[in-house]
């Protein structure tokens, strides 16, 4: 009898432990967080730090434009927890209903956000997104290839002297935006006449380009293969240390200002860990370390005190008002986004 009681007891205890394990989600395996981000956009030491502090594993995957990322998610790519879309793409994704509405009580470090730059966010109350980095887009170029009085203009891409030595971003809003700015129009225009003119300018520029490309052009500037590349500010600053001849300029006609953001997908399987990660990235010291590494501006007022003097005085990172005045924020154009996709297809297929 005693033996039977023992067996029954053991059975109950084992079953109970099994149920606790299954329903608490706690197993001997580490929790995983899947992050889909732009490349070269986060200090991987911080990723390791978060993994250690939270006994978890982060799996990173990269995209090179908002449109590529969105197309992949639309095509059914599942499993990502956190994604880093630009402001206009946050709007597209939130309208689609694929973003989690954020619970601010789980992100106490939101208090560190710098209001000055939240101004440029399209989700001003962080309903679905938390600002990650602010950047502008300009031209990275080799100083040794230009005259002393070189005045940067988007129309440099029309100069056949540099044929095959120039690249533009494989990013439809940025590439069409550059042509629109050159013509003196808004980067958010939906006027068909203005867009048609911009398309023709871009097709003209394309004849002199080595390619439309959003990542490897940086190496091309470093090696001296490319003389002029349209590029995201921080990406160009990152490679300046590798080739002292590289310069960055905002063309005289003006440019785009982007706020890239952290969002949690509704389909996330690890929402709590995702919140922890976002809160971690907003910590002042973490954010400063990240700024130093990526050379973009995290709009985090707690972080600025920890920045090195070089970064603090760089007008392209902590952008002063005269720089901000020359920038325009890309917005979601709703149904009219299709106008840009159509033009982009025509530019890409033009000979
Ligand atoms: N390597 C990181 C590039 C991120 C740049 N942000 C893109 C803004 C698009 N408008």
């Amino acid at each position: 009898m005693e033996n039977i009681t023992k067996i029954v007891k053991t059975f109950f205890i084992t079953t109970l432990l099994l149920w606790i394990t299954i329903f608490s989600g706690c197993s001997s395996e580490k929790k995983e967080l899947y992050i889909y981000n732009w490349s070269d956009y986060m200090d991987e030491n911080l990723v390791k730090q978060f993994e250690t502090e939270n006994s978890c594993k982060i799996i990173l995957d990269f995209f090179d434009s908002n449109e590529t990322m969105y197309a992949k998610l639309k095509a059914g790519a599942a499993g990502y927890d956190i994604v880093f879309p630009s402001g206009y793409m946050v709007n597209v994704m939130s309208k689609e209903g694929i973003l989690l509405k954020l619970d601010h009580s789980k992100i106490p470090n939101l208090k560190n956000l710098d209001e000055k730059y939240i101004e440029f966010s399209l989700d001003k109350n962080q309903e679905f997104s938390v600002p990650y980095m602010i950047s502008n887009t300009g031209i990275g170029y080799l100083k040794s290839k230009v005259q002393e009085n070189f005045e940067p203009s988007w129309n440099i891409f029309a100069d056949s002297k540099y044929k095959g030595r120039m690249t533009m971003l494989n990013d439809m809003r940025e590439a069409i935006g550059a042509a629109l700015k050159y013509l003196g129009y808004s980067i958010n225009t939906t006027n068909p006449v203005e867009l048609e003119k911009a398309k023709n300018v871009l097709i003209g520029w394309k004849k002199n380009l080595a390619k439309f490309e959003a990542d490897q052009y940086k190496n091309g500037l470093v090696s001296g293969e490319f003389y002029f590349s349209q590029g995201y500010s921080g990406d160009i600053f990152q490679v300046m240390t590798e080739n002292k001849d590289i310069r960055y300029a905002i063309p005289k006609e003006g440019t785009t200002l982007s706020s890239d953001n952290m969002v949690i997908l509704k389909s996330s399987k690890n929402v709590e860990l995702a919140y922890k990660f976002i809160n971690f990235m907003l910590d002042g010291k973490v954010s400063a370390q990240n700024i130093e590494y990526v050379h973009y501006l995290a709009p985090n007022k707690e972080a600025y005190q920890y920045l090195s003097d070089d970064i603090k005085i760089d007008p392209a990172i902590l952008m002063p008002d005269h720089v901000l005045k020359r920038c325009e924020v890309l917005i979601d154009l709703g149904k009219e986004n299709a106008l840009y996709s159509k033009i982009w297809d025509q530019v890409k297929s033009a000979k």
Side-chain angles (χ1 to χ4, degrees):
M1 189 62 193
E2 211 175 281
N3 264 355
I4 293 183
T5 318
K6 228 179 190 176
I7 292 169
V8 172
K9 247 188 190 167
T10 316
F11 173 77
F12 272 116
I13 291 172
T14 318
T15 314
L16 190 68
L17 285 176
L18 197 69
W19 277 79
I20 291 173
T21 306
I22 292 169
F23 287 105
S24 67
C26 156
S27 69
S28 57
E29 272 177 33
K30 283 186 171 174
K31 283 188 204 145
E32 292 178 332
L33 189 68
Y34 286 80
I35 295 184
Y36 195 23
N37 195 358
W38 301 81
S39 53
D40 301 326
Y41 215 22
M42 189 176 289
D43 181 348
E44 295 212 6
N45 288 320
L46 292 171
V47 172
K48 288 196 194 106
Q49 184 182 330
F50 184 82
E51 285 179 329
T52 311
E53 287 175 4
N54 293 278
S55 314
C56 66
K57 170 105 195 87
I58 293 185
I59 296 96
L60 295 168
D61 197 5
F62 304 106
F63 57 85
D64 65 359
S65 76
N66 284 295
E67 287 67 29
T68 320
M69 172 274 289
Y70 180 64
K72 191 166 164 188
L73 295 184
K74 285 285 275 183
Y80 295 119
D81 297 293
I82 301 178
V83 184
F84 288 69
S86 300
Y88 73 94
M89 191 48 80
V90 169
N91 279 18
V92 174
M93 293 165 84
S94 67
K95 281 194 286 190
E96 289 261 330
I98 60 173
L99 301 185
L100 189 78
K101 196 161 178 191
L102 298 174
D103 175 351
H104 287 196
S105 70
K106 296 186 192 276
I107 323 174
N109 284 336
L110 279 174
K111 66 176 186 330
N112 294 344
L113 288 174
D114 183 348
E115 300 78 20
K116 173 173 177 189
Y117 295 98
I118 300 310
E119 171 88 12
F120 303 103
S121 169
L122 301 180
D123 179 16
K124 292 197 178 20
N125 298 316
Q126 298 88 51
E127 207 181 345
F128 293 101
S129 62
V130 175
Y132 176 64
M133 295 285 167
I134 309 276
S135 61
N136 52 49
T137 298
I139 299 177
Y141 65 95
L142 300 185
K143 184 170 175 282
S144 57
K145 303 293 175 195
V146 299
Q147 306 283 334
E148 200 57 50
N149 57 355
F150 172 62
E151 199 189 359
S153 159
W154 288 119
N155 205 34
I156 189 72
F157 299 115
D159 196 334
S160 58
K161 192 162 74 225
Y162 303 115
K163 193 177 170 75
R165 297 290 194 169
M166 303 189 287
T167 65
M168 287 187 76
L169 288 166
N170 189 16
D171 176 328
M172 77 173 190
R173 293 295 303 271
E174 294 286 358
I176 300 171
L180 286 168
K181 274 285 165 206
Y182 167 64
L183 292 166
Y185 303 137
S186 162
I187 51 169
N188 295 308
T189 184
T190 54
N191 178 324
V193 177
E194 294 178 359
L195 284 167
E196 182 65 16
K197 284 189 192 165
K199 178 186 87 182
N200 292 331
V201 165
L202 198 49
I203 289 175
W205 290 349
K206 184 187 169 190
K207 295 186 172 59
N208 295 322
L209 301 181
K211 54 185 171 177
F212 286 107
E213 209 274 330
D215 201 18
Q216 289 307 314
Y217 71 91
K218 295 178 273 182
N219 297 333
L221 282 173
V222 173
S223 69
E225 179 187 359
F226 302 135
Y227 301 169
F228 300 93
S229 288
Q230 181 191 26
Y232 305 120
S233 53
D235 284 19
I236 308 279
F237 300 137
Q238 286 169 23
V239 292
M240 275 180 182
T241 51
E242 294 172 54
N243 179 345
K244 301 280 179 235
D245 195 24
I246 299 176
R247 295 290 182 278
Y248 176 77
I250 296 176
K252 61 180 179 193
E253 300 90 358
T255 190
T256 55
L257 184 83
S258 298
S259 162
D260 293 333
N261 307 275
M262 300 180 273
V263 299
I264 304 178
L265 294 181
K266 253 190 196 162
S267 56
S268 165
K269 297 212 172 49
N270 222 333
V271 172
E272 291 309 311
L273 196 58
Y275 272 121
K276 274 191 180 169
F277 184 82
I278 291 178
N279 198 52
F280 170 79
M281 293 312 295
L282 291 177
D283 171 82
K285 281 194 179 148
V286 167
S287 183
Q289 182 176 328
N290 208 22
I291 296 173
E292 295 279 345
Y293 182 87
V294 299
H295 288 83
Y296 284 95
L297 173 70
N300 184 315
K301 52 183 192 269
E302 259 304 294
Y304 305 154
Q305 60 188 310
Y306 304 113
L307 294 176
S308 61
D309 291 343
D310 283 0
I311 296 269
K312 271 189 200 152
I313 58 161
D314 194 324
I317 297 184
L318 269 163
M319 292 171 254
D321 290 345
H322 71 269
V323 172
L324 288 170
K325 266 199 204 113
R326 297 166 61 202
C327 301
E328 193 183 353
V329 179
L330 287 163
I331 61 169
D332 169 29
L333 302 168
K335 276 199 262 140
E336 315 292 348
N337 284 328
L339 292 172
Y340 282 74
S341 308
K342 190 171 155 209
I343 286 184
W344 189 232
D345 288 344
Q346 291 169 348
V347 171
K348 286 301 207 61
S349 59
K351 291 282 169 248

